[in-house]
Amino acid sequence: MMCLSDNELQMLADNALAGQDRERALSHIKSCAQCGEQYAQIRSVFAFLESEPAVGLPAGFAEAVAERAVSSLGWLQTKRVQKSIKDIAVAMVVAIVLSVLLNWLSSNSLGVVADTLSYDLDTVDIPFAYAMLLFTLTIGVVTIDAIMYHRFNRLSVHGRDRK
Amino acid sequence: MQRTDAELIRRSREADGDAFAELVRRYEKRVFGIVYRMLNDHTEATDITQETFIKAYTHLDQFDDERPLMPWLATIALNLARNLLTSAWAKRQALDDNLSCSPSEFTRLEVLDEVQSVLSHLTPEQREVIVLRHISDLTYEEIAGVTGEKISTVKSRLFEARQRIKLLRTHEEAKL
């Protein structure tokens, strides 16, 4: 086999030769002193370039960056809060559908129940009141959930809440 | 069991600070290496490394977590380093009418270690490919993606840069 070019030797050192080409190149540098020396020189350039700088990052860098990163997002931008906003939107739609459905039911069959219980359906819109109660409860739960989650994560950056 | 990058990215997207800190720990050395070798300024390199991770965090939604993270981080780091060099060069030029180098050739002089000293003899394009290959451990294809060049261009730049480094080191050794 002919001697390897500098380009081939660099590709070999870069692990950019594959299969038979790689095998051939490796067996050649074992048997050819000149190519073996060239290859060793290239490996030495690689090792030199890959040596670590004398300076580095301060201790605790990762934790400090993560804390800054998490707090750099407004709480409204976090995925969890965005999910909660979607939940609220769904709750609103469900409440409206329920309200319409119950209103329709009340005008058809709940009148009988109201009469039995002596409710005056003209002054109290019972289904609508139930729907609003449900909606308010949903918003409350989702909001508390979002706030607690956000607080939990902010604390976790300082490692105060994780065992 | 060690969590995968994809898992840590998913958790980071949900504002999990611990997961993101773990990601930073995995890549901080390589990101700092790129920036430090490009800027040759410890303080600036630390700041840019921090900025790189914060920028990555705020754009995590746009990242495809099936792909390797390092080329993406390298792209952000390299762009921030280039911007900093350009603005530092502009400031310097305002003070010095005789400044002859281009923004990308401009480096602030800190104490040079041996590698830094050798890298300063390369063109900015050569320095970039060397740093991306040897500090970030990117493949030819990934380097081409980061720099926006063809794979053949990346290969030839790497080749020329290494030949030059080999020569420079031989000269240095001959001096000793």
Side-chain angles (χ1 to χ4, degrees), chain A residues 6-7 10-11 14 16 38 41 44-46 48-58 61-63 65-66 68-70 72-73 78-79 149 153 156-157 162, chain B residues 13-18 20-21 24-25 28-29 32 36-37 42 46 49-50 53-54 57-58 61 113-115 118 133-135 140 158-159 162-163 165-166 169:
Chain A
D6 277 352
N7 194 29
Q10 285 200 21
M11 285 184 70
D14 263 334
Q38 288 285 322
Q41 268 187 23
S44 127
V45 168
F46 278 35
F48 167 74
L49 290 170
E50 284 154 22
S51 60
E52 283 187 17
V55 290
L57 291 165
F61 176 82
E63 289 72 18
V65 170
R68 232 195 100 189
V70 172
S72 71
L73 283 185
T78 63
K79 275 272 169 187
Y149 183 86
N153 273 285
S156 76
V157 171
R162 297 276 167 97
Chain B
R13 283 187 186 129
E14 293 181 357
D16 183 334
D18 287 347
F20 191 64
V24 176
R25 270 192 295 275
E28 62 182 9
K29 247 184 184 174
F32 175 77
Y36 180 66
R37 293 299 184 204
H42 183 224
T46 306
T49 305
Q50 177 170 255
F53 283 109
I54 288 171
Y57 182 80
T58 53
D61 280 349
D113 65 20
E114 211 185 334
V115 175
V118 165
R133 177 70 197 99
H134 292 283
I135 312 281
Y140 296 156
L158 270 172
F159 177 75
R162 285 164 179 162
Q163 291 296 88
I165 291 167
K166 216 161 80 174
R169 292 192 74 210

